[in-house]
């Protein structure tokens, strides 16, 4: 059977013929990267439409790609001729009389992505381009149902069209539009453990899209732990039957014994060198005990009195006069902190029972946020390696604040960085959101195998331009102007064969609360509420 038969190519889908010209204005000549084609009269193929170009005398092999550029050449519309017509008062009304005009030609360019071959058993094989495209051959819009095969992503498994698109092996995040048709886009499940970076400037739909992702993870019963800086995920957590926890309350504290020496000393400013030496030695012992307990899966219940006793013992052994004040400073710091505890924590157990744990850290200073995220990463990484907690997905909002570029970084950031680099081996997926990828650790961005790119500023786009798979330069240049809710998905070849533009689907059972406000309406609302309060108090 031929490609035309297997792919069910019809005359209605015929949009043109491959062409060749010595002039670049007419599309140039076919290469292993691009294929120019003349667009037939009456046909209006859309940008990014997936197409197939047949080969002469080879019914079992064809080239496929997507439309990335186009131009219309009209000899009657030369600027010089039009100026002369105006000057002499003889403006023509037939400049573009018809698409069948001999003076008009429309040429589009196909980004050559690969070849489709028909095997002996009638199945399709998708390979890299190996043959030079032929000229004068038909170009068809590809049937939308073939696109998942080209991308190597899961296909829609729903029984009836009215049902929600579904796939056991993929996450339904949006739709691919091609040739006036729309098909569901499923990100393969295996992409989760290879980490996902969601990048885009403010107000382009990042948080909304991650809400869609959370709906899909919830449907597949994959636990989620989210660090929320802006409060965008609180409502989603409640609607997904999860837990919303504010860091520093009784529901969420960090064991003092596991945060690390530098972070612990940050709670006790202005120490003398003798006091610092005593506390450093004592905390080192406590920290080692805590790590040992984590490795064994035991509770982190090292009492704070254990630390102060060690300070006293060490001070006594060296006859240090700094001992009393060192103990007082440590006790004062512990009593003053709302984040630290010496009691066993229960929030780690929530991963077994709660679909989504949302930890709000927006009210904390950045060094406290780093401390919380770093300590949680250290705890969960060790618990996961010992299989004491289930596999889960870690979501970090405003990731550039926790994983900045540079070398002068706090230990907590280094802990988080190390966890992300090794997380996939522990069956932990990581989703990082950032509006400023240029401020992020470059290696961490590279670690994220899948990238969901929304509209980006040119500076940030330059940072990730080398990580956008096989997208051509023409498409990359359009990324800053992409509409809200539209993203470029790119991943490793084993996850998704080609980069693709996706329109994020609507949420089905969670509410988005992070809409950009209209300040005029917000001010008027404030005045109405303020006036109402004043009237009620009279």
């Amino acid at each position: 059977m031929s490609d035309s038969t297997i792919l069910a190519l019809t005359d209605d889908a015929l949009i043109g013929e491959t062409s060749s010209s010595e002039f670049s204005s007419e599309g140039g000549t076919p290469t292993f990267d691009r294929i120019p084609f003349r667009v037939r009269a009456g046909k209006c193929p859309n940008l990014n439409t997936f197409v197939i170009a047949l080969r002469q005398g080879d019914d079992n092999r064809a080239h496929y790609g997507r439309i990335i550029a186009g131009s219309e050449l009209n000899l009657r519309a030369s600027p010089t001729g039009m100026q002369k017509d105006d000057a002499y008062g003889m403006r023509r009304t037939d400049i573009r009389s018809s698409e069948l005009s001999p003076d008009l030609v429309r040429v589009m360019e196909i980004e050559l992505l690969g070849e489709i071959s028909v095997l002996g058993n009638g199945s399709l094989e998708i390979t890299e381009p190996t043959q030079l495209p032929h000229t004068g051959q038909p170009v068809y819009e590809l049937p939308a149902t073939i696109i998942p095969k080209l991308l190597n992503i899961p296909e829609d498994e729903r029984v009836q069209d009215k049902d929600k698109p579904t796939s056991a092996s993929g996450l339904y995040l949006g739709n691919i539009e091609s040739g006036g048709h729309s098909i569901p886009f499923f990100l393969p499940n295996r992409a989760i453990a290879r980490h996902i970076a969601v990048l885009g400037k403010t107000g382009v739909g990042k948080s909304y899209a991650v809400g869609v992702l959370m709906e899909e993870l919830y449907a597949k019963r994959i636990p989620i732990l989210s660090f929320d800086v802006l409060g965008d995920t609180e409502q989603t957590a409640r609607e997904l039957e999860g837990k919303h926890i504010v860091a520093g309350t009784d529901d969420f504290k960090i064991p003092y014994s596991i945060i690390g020496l530098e972070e612990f000393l940050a709670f006790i400013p202005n120490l003398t060198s003798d006091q610092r030496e005593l506390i450093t030695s004592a905390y080192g012992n406590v920290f080692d005990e805590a790590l040992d307990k984590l490795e064994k899966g035991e509770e982190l219940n090292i009492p704070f009195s254990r630390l102060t006793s060690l300070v006293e013992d060490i001070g006594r052994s060296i006859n240090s006069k700094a001992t009393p004040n060192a103990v007082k400073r440590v006790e004062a710091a512990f009593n003053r902190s709302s984040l630290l505890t010496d009691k066993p924590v229960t929030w780690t157990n929530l991963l077994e029972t709660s679909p989504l744990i949302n930890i709000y850290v927006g009210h904390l200073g950045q060094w406290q946020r780093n401390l919380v995220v770093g300590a949680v990463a250290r705890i969960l990484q060790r618990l996961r390696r010992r299989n004491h907690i289930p596999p889960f997905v870690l979501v970090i909002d405003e990731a550039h604040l926790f994983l900045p570029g540079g070398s002068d970084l706090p230990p907590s950031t280094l802990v988080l960085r190390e966890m992300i680099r090794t997380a996939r081996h522990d069956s932990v997926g990581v989703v990082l959101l950032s509006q400023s990828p240029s401020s992020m650790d470059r290696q961490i961005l590279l670690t994220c195998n899948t990238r969901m790119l929304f509209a980006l500023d040119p500076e940030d786009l330059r940072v990730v331009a080398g990580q956008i798979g096989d997208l051509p330069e023409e498409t990359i240049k359009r990324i800053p102007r992409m509409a809200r809710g539209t993203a470029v998905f790119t991943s490793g070849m084993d996850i998704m064969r080609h980069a693709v533009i996706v329109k994020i689907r609507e949420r089905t059972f969670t509410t988005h609360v992070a809409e950009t406000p209209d300040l005029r309406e917000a001010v008027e609302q404030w005045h109405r509420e303020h006036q109402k309060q004043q009237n009620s108090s009279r």
Side-chain angles (χ1 to χ4, degrees):
M1 298 180 72
S2 67
D3 277 336
S4 299
T5 303
I6 292 291
L7 298 177
L9 302 179
T10 64
D11 289 342
D12 288 341
L14 180 62
I15 56 175
E17 296 82 23
T18 55
S19 59
S20 178
S21 173
E22 61 183 311
F23 302 109
S24 59
S25 61
E26 295 181 344
T29 59
T31 69
F32 285 105
D33 300 309
R34 306 289 175 93
I35 308 175
F37 74 97
R38 179 191 71 91
V39 181
R40 284 197 163 195
K43 298 294 183 178
C44 300
N46 295 331
L47 188 68
N48 296 313
T49 294
F50 283 87
V51 298
I52 184 168
L54 303 186
R55 294 174 54 79
Q56 185 177 32
D58 190 350
D59 292 339
N60 296 324
R61 186 198 306 267
H63 292 98
Y64 75 90
R66 59 187 155 210
I67 297 173
I68 59 169
S71 62
E72 179 174 288
L73 177 64
N74 187 347
L75 298 180
R76 298 184 185 182
S78 72
T80 302
M82 294 169 72
Q83 177 65 24
K84 289 180 178 178
D85 290 343
D86 280 351
Y88 299 137
M90 300 171 58
R91 184 168 179 81
R92 301 172 60 174
T93 60
D94 61 345
I95 289 180
R96 198 181 191 281
S97 58
S98 164
E99 289 186 3
L100 287 173
S101 167
D103 295 320
L104 184 145
V105 62
R106 292 177 299 150
V107 178
M108 292 189 177
E109 282 188 61
I110 303 169
E111 175 199 11
L112 179 54
L113 296 175
E115 295 177 358
I116 302 177
S117 301
V118 179
L119 302 181
N121 59 3
S123 63
L124 296 177
E125 181 183 42
I126 312 298
T127 59
E128 294 291 308
T130 59
Q131 300 291 315
L132 192 66
H134 293 165
T135 56
Q137 302 308 303
V139 176
Y140 292 86
E141 287 185 355
L142 265 173
T145 53
I146 300 297
I147 295 175
K149 290 185 174 64
L150 301 184
L151 299 178
N152 192 33
I153 60 174
E155 298 183 48
D156 192 358
E157 298 171 358
R158 60 181 161 175
V159 178
Q160 300 182 36
D161 289 343
K162 64 180 181 179
D163 297 334
K164 175 192 169 186
T166 185
S167 170
S169 56
L171 309 168
Y172 173 44
L173 301 183
N175 297 283
I176 303 170
E177 295 188 351
S178 177
H181 302 283
S182 178
I183 62 164
F185 168 76
F186 294 95
L187 181 68
N189 290 343
R190 61 185 183 276
I192 305 170
R194 301 277 289 276
H195 310 331
I196 302 171
V198 184
L199 309 174
K201 54 189 177 182
T202 58
V204 294
K206 299 187 303 297
S207 297
Y208 190 96
V210 172
V212 171
L213 175 61
M214 287 180 173
E215 287 187 349
E216 291 295 304
L217 295 173
Y218 171 81
K220 289 183 168 24
R221 302 180 66 185
I222 299 174
I224 307 165
L225 178 70
S226 170
F227 285 105
D228 187 2
V229 174
L230 302 177
D232 295 346
T233 313
E234 176 179 356
Q235 183 67 20
T236 301
R238 301 190 193 285
E239 291 172 337
L240 295 182
E241 303 173 317
K243 301 289 185 182
H244 175 72
I245 303 173
V246 178
T249 64
D250 290 339
D251 290 331
F252 188 89
K253 291 182 182 290
I254 298 295
Y256 83 96
S257 57
I258 200 64
I259 63 174
L261 176 62
E262 292 301 320
E263 282 80 358
F264 184 74
L265 291 177
F267 282 90
I268 320 171
N270 304 319
L271 290 171
T272 67
S273 59
D274 289 342
Q275 292 169 352
R276 186 182 182 90
E277 182 179 353
L278 286 172
I279 297 170
T280 297
S281 298
Y283 188 84
N285 291 332
V286 170
F287 185 69
D288 289 341
E289 288 181 33
L291 289 179
D292 185 59
K293 282 180 172 290
L294 270 182
E295 292 295 329
K296 295 176 180 177
E298 298 176 358
E299 290 183 332
L300 291 176
N301 58 353
I302 302 173
F304 193 68
S305 58
R306 168 69 174 150
L307 176 61
T308 55
S309 295
L310 283 171
V311 173
E312 290 173 342
D313 291 345
I314 295 170
R316 191 180 306 113
S317 67
I318 61 175
N319 198 26
S320 173
K321 296 181 179 180
T323 303
N325 284 335
V327 171
K328 290 179 182 178
R329 297 294 303 280
V330 169
E331 290 176 338
F334 184 78
N335 293 331
R336 188 170 57 243
S337 172
S338 62
L339 283 173
L340 302 182
T341 184
D342 60 354
K343 303 292 190 300
V345 295
T346 58
W347 51 263
T348 54
N349 300 328
L350 291 175
L351 282 171
E352 301 178 29
T353 58
S354 180
L356 168 57
I357 306 170
N358 186 57
I359 303 172
Y360 178 65
V361 295
H363 60 299
L364 303 177
Q366 189 55 44
W367 78 271
Q368 292 177 309
R369 294 174 186 167
N370 288 341
L371 181 150
V372 169
V373 175
V376 170
R378 179 179 282 130
I379 293 170
L380 295 182
Q381 183 181 43
R382 283 166 171 77
L383 291 177
R384 178 69 207 114
R385 285 180 177 175
R386 297 298 178 185
N387 206 31
H388 295 305
I389 57 175
F392 66 96
V393 174
L394 175 67
V395 180
I396 302 179
D397 189 18
E398 302 294 330
H400 53 280
L401 300 177
F402 301 96
L403 295 159
S407 55
D408 187 18
L409 302 173
S412 57
T413 296
L414 300 178
V415 169
L416 180 59
R417 180 191 287 179
E418 181 60 24
M419 179 196 180
I420 293 173
R421 287 174 176 168
T422 61
R424 73 183 183 93
H425 301 291
D426 302 320
S427 298
V428 175
V430 178
V431 179
L432 304 177
L433 290 80
S434 178
Q435 60 180 287
S436 181
S438 60
S439 303
M440 281 187 67
D441 184 308
R442 302 287 178 88
Q443 290 302 314
I444 291 298
L445 280 177
L446 290 172
T447 302
C448 294
N449 195 264
T450 299
R451 285 162 288 278
M452 192 188 308
L453 304 178
F454 292 83
L456 281 165
D457 291 324
E459 180 182 353
D460 289 315
L461 182 59
R462 281 193 293 271
V463 171
V464 299
Q467 306 170 31
I468 310 183
D470 57 6
L471 272 187
E473 187 66 26
E474 293 89 343
T475 305
I476 293 174
K477 288 179 179 178
R478 297 186 189 105
I479 289 179
R481 305 191 302 275
M482 284 196 310
R484 186 179 187 276
T486 301
V488 172
F489 279 76
T490 177
S491 191
M493 284 285 290
D494 59 323
I495 300 293
M496 193 169 68
R497 189 176 283 116
H498 305 296
V500 66
I501 298 174
V502 175
K503 288 194 173 182
I504 303 300
R505 69 165 176 83
E506 292 186 359
R507 294 192 187 184
T508 54
F509 49 92
T510 61
T511 306
H512 184 53
V513 296
E515 294 289 351
T516 302
D518 182 316
L519 283 183
R520 183 189 64 82
E521 293 181 0
V523 170
E524 289 183 355
Q525 176 69 18
W526 181 88
H527 281 296
R528 286 194 296 270
E529 293 177 354
H530 190 64
Q531 186 64 45
K532 185 177 180 181
Q533 290 175 358
Q534 287 181 330
N535 293 338
S536 62
S537 63
R538 290 174 183 172

